[in-house]
């Protein structure tokens, strides 16, 4: 297979991973470390101290005081630094830049600030897979990041591999698309593994019960791909599939059958009720997928 042009190469310089010390966030951390090693990227470890986590453990009259909050932040920073050092040593990337961010307050507000101030290229976050139920700290954060983050987000759900491979290698990519410009804008992220790892890419379009016009639809997406990789590059590793049926269920079935290592979504921002409906389907995929899911959100009217 010919090598794709640099237009589809993805450069990651700053990666942000959120942790709450749960097994869920440990899973995300493993993937973030593997990606940082592959790209030589700086990695930012973020944790937000939650008042409820230390209020019960503090003596009455001490909880909630500036001293208690400061002490909790210091303890959290120490623990995050230990997690960071241990993880980077395990992956042999002690030489890479890293920073630890600890604060108290709203988790998404902190992550958003880091994304904007540190030019974050990728956010990696775990989710407990409890769709719509904001009972777990990181489950809530994952949904906020998934919906609102301006940069690409890699979400690692409870059914994804517990640890990334020692050497990052993506062999099978699933790219579900509704053929909208926002969806197709994520094509570089789906095609990059084809260039780096000779990965196979399945482009999946799920239609309604009436089906779709296969030749016209594939011509549209193939033209988009050709514009990215060039006319001379072989697309022999790309498989085009069109299916009718429930969107999330169909995507998850393809991910299982193709043994996908990565699912890539390009999505519209959920600015209106109508636009939020596809996000509900996408987040179901994130929660139940057998592999990490990379989402690339189009600009929002609220950005």
């Amino acid at each position: 297979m010919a090598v794709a042009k640099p237009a589809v190469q993805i450069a990651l310089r700053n990666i942000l991973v959120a942790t709450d010390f749960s097994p869920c966030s440990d899973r995300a951390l493993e993937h973030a470390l593997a990606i940082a090693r592959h790209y030589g990227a700086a990695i930012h470890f973020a944790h937000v101290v939650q008042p409820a986590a230390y209020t019960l453990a503090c003596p009455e009259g001490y909880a909630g005081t500036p001293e208690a909050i400061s002490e909790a932040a210091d303890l959290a920073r120490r623990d995050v630094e230990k997690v960071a050092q241990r993880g980077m040593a395990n992956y042999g990337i002690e030489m890479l830049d890293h920073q630890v961010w600890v604060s108290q307050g709203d988790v998404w507000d902190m992550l958003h600030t880091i994304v904007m101030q540190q030019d974050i290229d990728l956010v990696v976050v775990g989710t407990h897979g409890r769709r719509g139920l904001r009972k777990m700290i990181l489950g809530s954060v994952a949904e906020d990041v998934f919906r609102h983050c301006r940069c690409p987000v890699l979400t690692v759900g409870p059914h994804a591999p517990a640890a990334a491979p020692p050497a990052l290698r993506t062999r099978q990519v699933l790219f579900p698309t509704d053929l909208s410009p926002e969806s197709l804008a994520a094509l570089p992220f789906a095609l990059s593994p084809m260039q780096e790892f000779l990965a196979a890419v399945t482009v999946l379009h799920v239609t309604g019960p009436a089906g779709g016009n296969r030749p016209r639809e594939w011509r549209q997406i193939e033209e988009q791909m050709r514009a990215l990789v060039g006319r001379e590059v072989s697309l022999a590793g790309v498989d085009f599939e069109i299916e009718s049926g429930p969107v999330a269920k169909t995507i998850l079935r393809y991910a299982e059958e193709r043994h996908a290592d990565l699912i890539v979504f390009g999505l519209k921002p959920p600015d209106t009720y109508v636009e939020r409906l596809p996000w509900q389907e996408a987040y179901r995929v994130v929660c139940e997928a057998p592999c990490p899911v990379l989402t690339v959100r189009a600009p929002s009217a609220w950005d």
Side-chain angles (χ1 to χ4, degrees):
M1 182 187 298
V3 177
K5 289 184 175 180
V8 298
Q9 288 182 330
I10 302 300
L12 300 178
R13 296 164 300 174
N14 288 285
I15 296 171
L16 170 63
V17 58
T19 178
D20 64 358
F21 308 112
S22 68
C24 169
S25 65
D26 290 344
R27 199 179 291 254
L29 180 64
E30 292 285 334
H31 289 268
L33 290 165
I35 296 169
R37 181 172 64 180
H38 180 77
Y39 287 99
I43 186 164
H44 300 253
F45 301 85
H47 174 76
V48 178
V49 176
Q50 297 295 308
Y54 62 85
T55 297
L56 296 178
C58 294
E60 186 176 355
Y62 183 67
T65 65
E67 292 79 8
I69 295 173
S70 177
E71 181 180 355
D74 289 342
L75 291 172
R77 181 175 297 278
R78 181 198 63 188
D79 290 344
V80 176
E81 188 65 52
K82 286 182 179 178
V83 168
Q85 295 290 353
R86 183 170 61 248
M88 295 181 75
N90 288 342
Y91 278 84
I93 55 174
E94 299 96 328
M95 75 297 296
L96 294 181
D97 290 338
H98 85 279
Q99 291 195 53
V100 168
W101 305 90
V102 175
S103 71
Q104 187 270 332
D106 182 80
V107 183
W108 165 241
D109 285 347
M110 177 196 179
L111 297 182
H112 177 67
T113 298
I114 299 172
V115 167
M116 301 305 294
Q117 293 182 351
Q118 302 299 318
D119 295 324
I120 299 298
D121 302 300
L122 176 71
V123 173
V124 183
V125 65
T127 180
H128 299 277
R130 292 173 171 84
R131 291 181 285 118
L133 299 178
R134 297 177 174 268
K135 293 181 179 179
M136 303 293 286
I137 293 172
L138 202 55
S140 172
V141 172
E143 190 169 352
D144 283 339
V145 174
F146 174 79
R147 288 179 178 274
H148 302 301
C149 194
R150 298 184 184 187
C151 69
V153 176
L154 185 74
T155 308
V156 183
H159 305 294
L168 188 66
R169 183 167 178 81
T170 304
R171 299 178 185 274
Q172 295 284 339
V173 178
L174 179 61
F175 178 59
T177 176
D178 62 3
L179 304 178
S180 66
E182 293 85 357
S183 175
L184 295 179
L187 261 176
F189 294 90
L191 294 178
S192 180
M194 186 178 76
Q195 171 183 295
E196 292 194 59
F197 309 115
L198 298 182
V201 179
T202 299
V203 180
L204 174 63
H205 178 48
V206 183
T207 70
N213 185 332
R214 183 191 299 260
R216 177 181 60 80
E217 289 163 341
W218 287 155
R219 281 198 300 270
Q220 178 183 350
I221 193 168
E222 187 169 346
E223 283 302 311
Q224 292 282 339
M225 298 176 76
R226 286 294 183 193
L228 284 169
V229 303
R231 295 288 169 182
E232 72 280 9
V233 176
S234 171
L235 294 180
V238 179
D239 184 23
F240 296 93
E241 297 287 349
I242 186 167
E243 289 274 355
S244 60
V247 175
K249 185 176 180 179
T250 303
I251 293 171
L252 290 168
R253 174 169 60 83
Y254 264 82
E256 290 281 359
E257 292 176 353
R258 301 294 171 102
H259 303 288
D261 301 303
L262 179 68
I263 299 174
V264 179
F265 274 113
L267 295 170
K268 298 178 182 179
D271 290 335
T272 68
Y273 169 73
V274 173
E275 290 170 339
R276 280 197 296 269
L277 293 179
W279 280 77
Q280 294 174 8
E281 293 292 307
Y283 196 62
R284 178 187 171 190
V285 173
V286 165
C287 292
E288 300 179 21
C291 61
V293 179
L294 180 71
T295 49
V296 183
R297 196 210 72 180
S300 168
W302 304 106
D303 288 341

